[in-house]
Amino acid sequence: MKKSSDGSPNTSRNTSDPVREYKVWELQKHADDLLDGAFPSGYLIPVEIENIAYHLSLDILPVPGLRRTCDVVGALYRDAAGAYWVVVDEYMMDNRENRYRFTVAEEIAHFVLHREQIEQAKDIASAIALQRRLKKRYRFTESNARRLAAEMLMPRDALRKDLAKAYAEVVAVVGFRNFEAIAKQVTDILTRRYVVSHDAMRYQLRTHQFQAYEAMQKAFRRRSGDLLPEA
């Protein structure tokens, strides 16, 4: 097992450890449960991520200059009254919608996955300090939170349908001359629809479980506008 500079493990599969690493299927199950709980009649795209926060009784607090003064864009803490606050950089909230949405989703993920540790943070300063300690000691905490955030913002079932539609629309116009150009245009369409960053969408489409790029490549080689069923 790899260890950090102080000799403590930075990854854990020991159930006695208070911080654990989650498997992909567990994160997907968490995302499904969160979407079902917040949207019992079904969710819309783009997913209203703030509604998931409110469903979990998380309040969102914009803080002027958070990124400039603390070098973070989001954090999570529990105040003395027991209320949980998702703290976000105010400028990002007002001007960078894609990043704001992913930041809120990531803090929701930390609340779901690491609540026991989050309860140690009583204000913004201690929340940021805790975030850095967890990130240093357990490298997987951030990757697990990002994966869950992606699953909430880009749900698999909806994304598969939208991927197939976007791919068909693009190849109907540009044909089959350049796969990379097609893949970029499809990603751009989905990025706008789901209101996420291009990097976040590309990450979700390239995951082993989703295999979107592989499906598009197979359809491209067949000169077909229809993706294979696994897309």
Side-chain angles (χ1 to χ4, degrees):
M1 179 182 291
K2 294 182 179 179
K3 296 185 177 182
S4 64
S5 57
D6 64 359
S8 58
N10 56 29
T11 186
S12 172
R13 297 185 185 278
N14 186 344
T15 56
S16 65
D17 196 310
V19 181
R20 59 172 290 234
E21 184 173 11
Y22 289 83
K23 298 182 183 299
V24 171
W25 69 265
E26 292 178 294
L27 297 172
Q28 292 174 339
K29 178 66 165 55
H30 274 304
D32 292 342
D33 290 345
L34 288 166
L35 290 165
D36 290 343
F39 309 105
S41 299
Y43 57 81
L44 300 176
I45 300 298
V47 171
E48 297 172 292
I49 195 63
E50 291 175 337
N51 284 7
I52 298 181
Y54 300 146
H55 175 72
L56 296 172
S57 298
L58 301 175
D59 289 315
I60 299 173
L61 176 65
V63 176
L66 180 66
R67 182 180 184 183
R68 183 180 67 254
T69 59
C70 301
D71 197 30
V72 299
V73 293
L76 176 65
Y77 73 93
R78 185 186 186 191
D79 67 19
Y84 288 91
W85 294 90
V86 172
V87 179
V88 297
D89 181 79
E90 184 179 63
Y91 179 85
M92 176 189 68
M93 183 180 190
D94 293 339
N95 299 279
R96 304 284 173 81
E97 185 178 14
N98 292 357
R99 188 164 189 188
Y100 163 71
R101 283 167 48 78
F102 200 90
T103 298
V104 172
E106 193 171 347
E107 297 307 327
I108 291 171
H110 281 300
F111 174 77
V112 172
L113 303 177
H114 312 125
R115 190 184 311 186
E116 182 178 344
Q117 290 70 45
I118 296 301
E119 290 180 353
Q120 301 172 28
K122 305 302 183 184
D123 53 30
I124 296 176
S126 60
I128 294 170
L130 174 65
Q131 182 183 97
R132 288 170 177 163
R133 287 199 305 273
L134 288 175
K135 186 176 181 180
K136 180 179 180 181
R137 182 172 181 181
Y138 303 98
R139 295 179 183 176
F140 56 79
T141 56
E142 289 301 310
S143 60
N144 277 182
R146 290 189 186 113
R147 182 58 181 269
L148 178 50
E151 293 289 339
M152 283 187 279
L153 289 170
M154 297 165 277
R156 298 179 309 286
D157 291 344
L159 187 54
R160 285 190 180 95
K161 294 176 182 177
D162 287 332
L163 168 67
K165 180 180 179 182
Y167 173 79
E169 290 175 350
V170 170
V171 298
V173 174
V174 305
F176 299 95
R177 288 173 293 181
N178 187 321
F179 174 75
E180 291 303 323
I182 292 170
K184 183 180 183 305
Q185 288 189 48
V186 169
T187 305
D188 288 344
I189 290 170
L190 296 175
T191 292
R192 292 191 296 271
R193 173 155 171 72
Y194 284 76
V195 194
V196 296
S197 70
H198 192 274
D199 286 345
M201 179 57 70
R202 185 168 54 188
Y203 166 81
Q204 185 74 336
L205 293 177
R206 287 185 181 275
T207 57
H208 175 69
Q209 290 73 20
F210 204 80
Q211 297 183 324
Y213 279 78
E214 291 86 343
M216 286 193 289
Q217 285 175 330
K218 290 178 182 177
F220 178 82
R221 287 195 293 267
R222 300 190 331 265
R223 296 296 189 265
S224 172
D226 294 324
L227 296 186
L228 293 175
E230 61 264 28

